[in-house]
């Protein structure tokens, strides 16, 4: 772990290079399409439409402001899945960056997640506009919404940590790619994205303390839709998971990342 971080700190122009890489990746992803950045918004909107019909109209869950409830849950979930699934093979697909330049492997991961962060904050602004001006509800966002910054940092660390782990494992076991797809599908249905929170807690007592994504989603709704502070116990658990996984991720990257060029 120490060697990756120390190597990264020693190099110059790191932040400028990270931001430049993030912008290039973001443009490559969206700007070649006619709708550009709006594709980052269209996917969650299409997902919202599907889940709204299924869970609010057909199953009649009766969740107030259900479209916003889905919106904030899905953009947090999509950031995690896109960041982790999109980096499974990153040591292979971007091998040229760390082999033929002075870039550190860690910068490749961080720039990819920064690129996804641009899409996330664009969607988050759209969510705030929708919830406060279009959704028919008596609630509105308050100053507690600013808690989204530490919550997002928590999610960013969790996503980076998971990316380091699964991409390092991919060096020696490519099956991790398929396993991760199955696991994320499983995790999706075990997160309170479209369930009523009371139903989720009744069916899976204390599971919100075991699933760090559940905690981030629950707290994001508290600060943006309910206008209250986050659940600090949940936040403490979620940060603990993220930091622990990040330490494991650094260890695996140090141990297996050096073999990437010869194995992949």
């Amino acid at each position: 772990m120490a060697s990756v971080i120390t190597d990264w700190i020693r190099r110059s122009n790191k932040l400028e290079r990270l931001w430049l890489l993030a912008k290039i990746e973001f443009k490559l992803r969206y700007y070649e399409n006619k709708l550009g950045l709006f594709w980052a918004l269209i996917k969650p909107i299409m997902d919202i439409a599907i889940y709204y019909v299924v869970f609010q109209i057909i199953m009649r869950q009766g969740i107030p402001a259900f479209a916003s409830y889905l919106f904030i849950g899905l953009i947090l979930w999509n950031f995690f899945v896109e960041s982790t699934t999109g980096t499974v093979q990153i040591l292979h697909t971007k091998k040229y960056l760390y082999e033929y330049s002075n870039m550190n492997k860690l910068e490749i991961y961080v720039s990819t997640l920064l690129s996804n962060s641009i899409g996330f904050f664009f969607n988050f602004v759209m969510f705030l506009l929708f919830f406060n001006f279009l959704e028919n509800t008596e609630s509105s966002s308050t100053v507690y919404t600013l808690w989204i910054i530490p919550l997002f940092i928590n999610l960013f660390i969790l996503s980076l940590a998971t990316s380091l782990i699964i991409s390092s494992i991919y060096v020696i076991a490519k099956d991790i790619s398929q396993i991760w797809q199955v696991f994320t599908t499983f995790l999706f249905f075990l997160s309170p994205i479209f369930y009523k929170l009371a139903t989720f807690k009744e069916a899976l007592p204390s599971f919100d303390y075991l699933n760090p994504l559940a905690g981030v989603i629950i707290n994001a709704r508290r600060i943006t839709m309910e206008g209250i502070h986050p659940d600090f116990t949940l936040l403490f658990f979620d940060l603990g998971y993220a930091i622990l996984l990040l330490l494991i991720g650094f260890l695996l990257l140090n141990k297996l990342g050096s073999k990437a060029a010869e194995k992949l």
Side-chain angles (χ1 to χ4, degrees):
M1 177 184 70
S3 65
V4 172
I5 297 176
T6 307
D7 180 47
W8 186 75
I9 291 173
R10 282 177 183 161
R11 303 185 185 209
S12 59
N13 301 323
K14 295 174 287 292
L15 295 178
E16 183 182 351
R17 187 166 56 197
L18 280 176
W19 181 238
L20 180 63
L21 278 172
K23 284 197 297 184
I24 291 172
E25 183 153 341
F26 187 79
K27 287 180 180 178
L28 285 174
R29 185 181 307 169
Y30 293 114
Y31 278 37
E32 290 184 354
N33 301 312
K34 289 185 178 178
L35 292 179
L37 178 60
F38 281 96
W39 274 114
L41 180 64
I42 289 172
K43 184 180 184 309
I45 287 179
M46 292 172 70
D47 290 341
I48 289 168
I50 294 168
Y51 296 126
Y52 191 92
V53 170
V54 174
F55 290 95
Q56 191 75 343
I57 296 177
I58 298 176
M59 299 181 68
R60 298 180 183 277
Q61 288 208 95
I63 298 175
F66 188 61
S68 297
Y69 188 90
L70 278 172
F71 201 158
I72 187 66
L74 283 170
I75 61 175
L76 290 163
W77 171 261
N78 286 342
F79 176 83
F80 176 75
V81 171
E82 288 174 7
S83 298
T84 54
T85 305
T87 52
V88 172
Q89 301 182 35
I90 198 169
L91 290 173
H92 172 58
T93 57
K94 296 191 176 178
K95 186 166 59 173
Y96 62 94
L97 283 176
Y98 60 83
E99 278 198 333
Y100 303 111
S101 71
N102 63 344
M103 282 191 67
N104 181 285
K105 291 187 180 71
L106 188 59
E107 289 180 63
I108 300 171
Y109 290 88
V110 174
S111 62
T112 301
L113 266 68
L114 281 176
S115 168
N116 293 341
S117 302
I118 299 172
F120 171 82
F121 279 103
F122 173 73
N123 281 336
F124 185 70
V125 171
M126 294 296 108
F127 157 75
L128 290 178
L129 293 174
F130 180 81
F131 175 65
N132 288 290
F133 299 109
L134 296 178
E135 184 87 79
N136 184 20
T137 172
E138 295 179 357
S139 304
S140 61
S141 299
T142 68
V143 68
Y144 287 110
T145 300
L146 294 174
W147 272 98
I148 194 64
I149 296 172
L151 287 181
F152 181 74
I153 292 172
N154 184 172
L155 180 64
F156 190 97
I157 296 171
L158 179 68
S159 303
L160 175 62
T162 310
S163 297
L164 292 173
I165 293 171
I166 58 177
S167 61
S168 297
I169 295 175
Y170 183 83
V171 173
I172 55 171
K174 293 182 175 54
D175 295 343
I176 190 67
S177 181
Q178 283 74 30
I179 293 171
W180 185 245
Q181 288 181 22
V182 173
F183 181 76
T184 51
T185 302
F186 184 63
L187 190 62
F188 179 73
F189 289 99
L190 291 181
S191 299
I193 295 171
F194 37 71
Y195 305 122
K196 188 182 286 186
L197 185 56
T199 306
F200 177 79
K201 287 191 171 185
E202 184 180 354
L204 298 168
S206 302
F207 191 71
D208 45 343
Y209 289 96
L210 298 175
N211 176 356
L213 273 175
V216 173
I217 292 170
I218 290 169
N219 273 332
R221 287 182 181 135
R222 285 172 64 97
I223 61 166
T224 57
M225 298 180 65
E226 299 175 34
I228 58 177
H229 59 73
D231 181 324
F232 293 111
T233 309
L234 262 183
L235 183 59
F236 174 79
F237 269 84
D238 296 340
L239 275 172
Y241 286 129
I243 292 170
L244 176 63
L245 289 173
L246 187 62
L247 293 175
I248 296 172
F250 280 138
L251 288 172
L252 288 176
L253 184 64
N254 272 332
K255 193 171 182 61
L256 301 176
S258 58
K259 301 177 182 176
E262 57 191 74
K263 289 270 187 182
L264 292 170

